[in-house]
Amino acid sequence: SEQAALLEIAQDAIIVRDFDDRILFWNKSAERIYGYTAEETLGKIKTKLLYAGNSSDYEQALENLFADGIW
């Protein structure tokens, strides 16, 4: 689709995940920035992939988001 094509040419990393934190979409810029191909990431847990060993700040930010609606 046209929207998917636009996501692929974006300069920013675009990662789509589900409510279980599993990666559903990983664009070319995410590949360039993080060093993983889309094939390596799809279905993986985002926090385990990107924040291995240091996910406490991210988890706290998510708790704040869900509790207060503020990141």
Side-chain angles (χ1 to χ4, degrees), residues 1-55:
S1 78
E2 185 177 325
Q3 291 175 335
L6 290 173
L7 293 176
E8 283 297 345
I9 63 170
Q11 294 298 308
D12 296 322
I14 298 175
I15 303 165
V16 177
R17 64 182 179 84
D18 64 14
F19 285 111
D20 293 323
D21 205 31
R22 293 195 186 281
I23 297 170
L24 303 174
F25 178 82
W26 186 268
N27 75 344
K28 295 290 183 194
S29 290
E31 289 183 353
R32 180 178 44 80
I33 292 167
Y34 295 109
Y36 298 105
T37 66
E39 292 78 23
E40 293 174 304
T41 64
L42 297 179
K44 300 270 187 344
I45 304 291
K46 183 179 63 84
T47 51
K48 289 182 180 179
L49 183 71
L50 297 180
Y51 304 103
N54 190 18
S55 63

Side-chain angles (χ1 to χ4, degrees), residues 21 47-48 51 54-66 71:
D21 205 31
T47 51
K48 289 182 180 179
Y51 304 103
N54 190 18
S55 63
S56 61
D57 289 342
Y58 177 77
E59 290 169 4
Q60 183 61 52
L62 277 182
E63 284 181 31
N64 293 344
L65 174 65
F66 290 129
W71 182 254

